[in-house]
Amino acid sequence: NGNDNFGFAAKGGNNNEPHNHNDIGHFIVYRNGDEFFCDLGSGEYSRQYFGKERYTFAHCGSQGHSVPIINGKTQVAGTDAYAECVTVDETGISMRYEKAYRDDTLRELYRKFSFDKENAVVNIRDRFVFDSKPESVTERFVTRVKPEVTDGEVILKTEKGKVALKFEKDSFVTSVTPNEVGDHMGVPFTYYNIDLCVKNPEKSMEFEFTVS
C-alpha cells in the first residue's frame, strides 16, 4: 500500500528436508526491506552443526523459530514430522502440524495465517486440542529487532518502519529473552524470543494474533 512494502511467508513441508530445520508453522514478516519476524538462516558449519547436536542450535531447532513450545517440547526431526491439510490461496495459508511434535496428549495443532495485502495485516489463529490438560503451552515469536512490550502488544521498530504484534493480554504471561548466535560466517548477532506463556492451559484452546 503506497510506499509501504509489506511481505509475508510461512513454512509447511516436513522436518527431513535437505539442510533441514525443524520449522513447520514458522513464518516471516518484512516491511520496507527489513525483516521484523525473522528466520535465523544458516549457522556456521561445523561438525556439531551436522551431527547429533544439530537441533540444539537455534538456527536448526524449532526453539529458534516462531512456533509453539508444547509441554516444554520443541519439534522433532524426520519425515513423519510433517504438515497436513495444507491450504494455500491468495488470502493466506493454513495447516495442521501436531505431527511435528512428539506429545502423546496433543490431538490437534492447527494454524491459519490470513494475509490482507491491502491493509498490510497478517492474522494468525492457533487451535490446540489435547487429550488431557497440558502442563504448559508457549507461543514463541522470533525477531532480530529489539521488542518494546506494552499491554497486549509488542512493538518492533527500525528506521524503515514499525510492526506490532497484538494479542489478548489476559491470556498470557509475556517475556522477552535476548540470545546471541553466529551467522553463516560466524559473525555474532542478537535475536529475541518473544514468549507468550498461556496462563491457564486447557484441553481445547484458540488464540488469535495480529501482525501489522
Side-chain angles (χ1 to χ4, degrees):
N1 49 344
N3 294 320
D4 188 27
N5 295 308
F6 190 82
F8 156 77
K11 175 72 168 55
N14 69 71
N15 283 343
N16 191 36
E17 294 170 339
H19 292 262
N20 181 65
H21 294 179
N22 291 343
D23 57 358
I24 300 170
H26 177 59
F27 71 98
I28 58 175
V29 169
Y30 276 85
R31 172 163 265 155
N32 299 331
D34 279 352
E35 194 178 25
F36 284 83
F37 288 98
C38 72
D39 192 274
L40 300 181
S42 298
E44 188 177 14
Y45 288 175
S46 65
R47 183 176 296 172
Q48 292 83 3
Y49 191 82
F50 287 102
K52 293 178 185 176
E53 299 168 55
R54 178 173 180 81
Y55 297 106
T56 66
F57 290 87
H59 313 75
C60 304
S62 75
Q63 70 273 18
H65 294 83
S66 295
V67 294
I69 299 169
I70 297 171
N71 287 322
K73 297 172 184 172
T74 54
Q75 294 185 13
V76 297
T79 50
D80 56 349
Y82 58 89
E84 56 189 334
C85 306
V86 178
T87 64
V88 181
D89 60 33
E90 288 186 1
T91 64
I93 301 167
S94 66
M95 67 188 77
R96 282 183 59 169
Y97 62 113
E98 63 269 13
K99 287 186 170 66
Y101 295 82
R102 287 292 172 274
D103 188 306
D104 292 339
T105 68
L106 180 62
R107 282 291 155 261
E108 181 181 334
L109 175 51
Y110 172 81
R111 172 165 277 189
K112 180 177 177 63
F113 300 98
S114 300
F115 184 30
D116 180 350
K117 294 180 186 178
E118 287 287 314
N119 298 299
V121 177
V122 178
N123 180 269
I124 304 164
R125 183 174 299 154
D126 283 348
R127 182 169 69 240
F128 301 85
V129 180
F130 294 87
D131 281 340
S132 56
K133 188 175 174 179
E135 290 181 21
S136 65
V137 172
T138 298
E139 294 273 22
R140 172 162 287 180
F141 300 89
V142 176
T143 181
R144 290 175 67 163
V145 181
K146 189 174 182 179
E148 301 171 20
V149 181
T150 62
D151 272 359
E153 194 170 49
V154 178
I155 306 293
L156 308 177
K157 287 182 186 174
T158 72
E159 292 180 359
K160 295 182 180 178
K162 181 180 86 166
V163 165
L165 169 69
K166 297 178 183 177
F167 53 92
E168 179 49 62
K169 64 176 183 177
D170 294 336
S171 298
F172 303 100
V173 175
T174 308
S175 65
V176 173
T177 308
N179 305 273
E180 189 173 282
V181 293
D183 68 11
H184 188 49
M185 304 307 293
V187 178
F189 68 88
T190 300
Y191 76 93
Y192 302 86
N193 290 333
I194 302 166
D195 284 343
L196 307 181
C197 185
V198 179
K199 283 184 181 178
N200 299 300
E202 300 292 345
K203 285 172 65 175
S204 180
M205 302 182 290
E206 278 202 32
F207 302 109
E208 196 164 321
F209 308 95
T210 303
V211 176
S212 62

